[in-house]
Structures are given as C-alpha cells and as structure tokens.
C-alpha cells in the first residue's frame, strides 16, 4: 500500500479545513496534508506524541501547528510502526453540537411547557369535578337528587355513584320519617278526640248526678219531716 497509498486515501477524505498526516515510529511527519514539504521529518505535536504513546489508537482535542483547534484521532498502520492522524476543525463540530444541544434543550423546554399546560388543564378539570362532588355530597346529605359527575376518572365515577345511592337512602329515610310523623299525628288526633269525648261524658255524668241529688233532696226532706 505504501506512503503514496496512504497519501491518496487521506487526501481524498480530508477537506481544506482539516488536516491529515502520516507519522512514523519516531513521531516524525512522513506526510502532512497541509504544507507537506515543510513538515516532512518534523516532530509531531508534543500533546499528540504523548497521547499516542499512551494508547495505540484514540482521539484527542489539540491545537494544530497553525493554531486552529482540532478534534483528532489516530490509528496504527497495520504491519508497521507508523500511525495515521486525522483532524477536523473543532469550531464547526462544537457549533453543530451546541446547535443540537440547543435544539434538544428547546425541545425539552417545549415538552415541559406542554406537560405543565396539560397538568394545569387536568388540575382545573379535577378541581371542578371535586367541587361538583362536594356539592353533590351536600345535596345527598339533604336527600336532593345528585347529578352525574361525567368524569373519566374511575374513582370519581365511583364516588358519584355512592353519593347517588346515599341520596336515595336519605330520601327513603325522609319519606319513612314523614310517614311515621303523619301516623303519629293521626294517632294524636284520635287520642285528643277520645279524650274530649271522655271529658264531655264525665261532665254530663256530674251534671246528671247533681241534678238528681237536687231533685231527690226536696221530696226526701218533706218525707223525713212527715
């Protein structure tokens, strides 16, 4: 494959803003896409050399010889002590990353706002249903008809059914108490009527005995005198 093959391969993959190079076992440039003749035989950057000594392949963020920040990576050339290094400008990548992070942040913010809006709407609906349930409980306590809550929440539907059943029970109890009160009133009226008749009969008896005693006293007095 050789140096020319590596040069051709790396030259096709690197753009004008990036940098590609072939580094030998002594950490010197064999070829570099930027100013190849000027950098041939020159030592690679110390930070790159240190990173390549720690691992056979990897990535690094480093400033190129020209001063522009790069995100680079290196890998060994099979069958030799050479390594290839490929770097791309950090600014476009970081700009794209910041854009992606910004879009993700915006998406999360919109999702959070949408969730808050949905939660607020559900909260208002739940508060409305709870108020209706409270009113229904007050109506059920006095035996008034309880309206349907019209809720998709099973617990509130069960509460509404229980309140309607309680209202019917209160209505039945009220009807039973009213019937008992009416019967008591009828019995009281009958008792008062009977008492009035008894008192009238008792007065008539007293009047009759008084009249009888008066009528009998005069003849008896005459007989006793005779």
């Amino acid at each position: 494959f050789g140096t020319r093959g590596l040069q051709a391969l790396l030259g096709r993959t690197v753009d004008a803003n990036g940098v590609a190079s072939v580094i030998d076992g002594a950490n010197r440039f064999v070829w570099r896409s930027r100013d190849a003749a000027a950098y041939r035989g020159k030592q690679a950057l110390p930070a790159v050399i240190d990173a390549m000594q720690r691992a056979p392949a990897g990535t690094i963020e480093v400033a190129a010889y020209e001063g522009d920040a790069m995100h680079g990576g290196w890998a060994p050339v099979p069958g030799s002590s050479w390594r290839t290094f490929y770097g791309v400008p950090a600014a476009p990548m970081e700009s794209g990353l910041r854009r992606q992070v910004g879009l993700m942040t915006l998406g999360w913010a919109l999702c959070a706002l949408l969730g808050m809006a949905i939660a607020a709407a559900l909260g208002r609906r739940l508060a409305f249903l709870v108020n209706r349930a409270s009113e229904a409980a007050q109506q059920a306590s006095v035996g008034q008809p309880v309206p349907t809550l019209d809720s998709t929440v099973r617990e509130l539907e069960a509460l509404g059914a229980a309140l309607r059943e309680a209202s019917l029970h209160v209505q039945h109890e009220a009807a039973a108490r009213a019937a008992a009160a009416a019967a008591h009133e009828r019995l009281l009226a009958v008792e008062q009527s009977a008492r009035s008749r008894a008192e009238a009969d008792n007065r008539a008896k007293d009047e009759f005995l008084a009249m009888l005693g008066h009528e009998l006293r005069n003849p008896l007095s005459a007989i006793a005198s005779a």
Side-chain angles (χ1 to χ4, degrees):
F1 192 69
T3 305
R4 292 184 179 180
L6 288 173
Q7 292 176 6
L9 176 62
L10 296 175
R12 287 195 300 268
T13 57
V14 69
D15 58 19
N17 296 320
V19 59
S21 58
V22 180
I23 302 172
D24 63 14
N27 299 316
R28 294 188 301 267
F29 287 112
V30 177
W31 173 82
R32 191 173 187 268
S33 61
R34 291 183 183 178
D35 299 329
Y39 283 93
R40 186 177 292 112
K42 187 175 181 178
Q43 286 283 320
L45 290 168
V48 175
I49 295 173
D50 182 65
M52 289 191 299
Q53 289 176 347
R54 290 197 303 267
T59 60
I60 188 174
E61 184 177 353
V62 67
Y65 271 110
E66 292 80 4
D68 46 341
M70 291 279 178
H71 288 290
W74 70 92
V77 177
S80 71
S81 60
W82 291 6
R83 286 146 295 182
T84 58
F85 185 90
Y86 186 88
V88 294
M93 293 182 62
E94 293 176 354
S95 176
L97 181 61
R98 285 193 295 269
R99 187 180 304 109
Q100 292 296 326
V101 171
L103 291 175
M104 291 178 60
T105 303
L106 179 60
W108 280 111
L110 291 176
C111 290
L113 290 175
L114 180 60
M116 291 173 63
I118 294 174
L122 291 177
R124 287 194 296 269
R125 175 63 178 171
L126 185 60
F128 171 75
L129 291 174
V130 169
N131 289 333
R132 288 200 61 185
S134 177
E135 295 174 357
Q138 294 177 358
Q139 293 171 344
S141 65
V142 295
Q144 295 180 357
V146 176
T148 304
L149 294 180
D150 295 330
S151 172
T152 56
V153 181
R154 292 193 300 270
E155 290 77 5
L156 289 177
E157 283 291 338
L159 176 60
L163 290 175
R164 287 192 293 273
E165 184 177 354
S167 177
L168 292 176
H169 181 71
V170 171
Q171 292 176 19
H172 293 327
E173 289 292 331
R177 285 196 300 270
H184 177 73
E185 291 293 333
R186 288 194 298 270
L187 290 175
L188 184 60
V190 170
E191 189 270 338
Q192 289 177 349
S193 177
R195 180 181 296 178
S196 298
R197 288 196 300 270
E199 291 176 351
D201 292 340
N202 190 44
R203 288 194 300 271
K205 179 198 68 175
D206 292 340
E207 292 175 357
F208 172 74
L209 292 176
M211 180 185 67
L212 181 61
H214 176 73
E215 293 298 331
L216 290 177
R217 187 170 48 249
N218 294 331
L220 291 175
S221 299
I223 293 173
S225 299

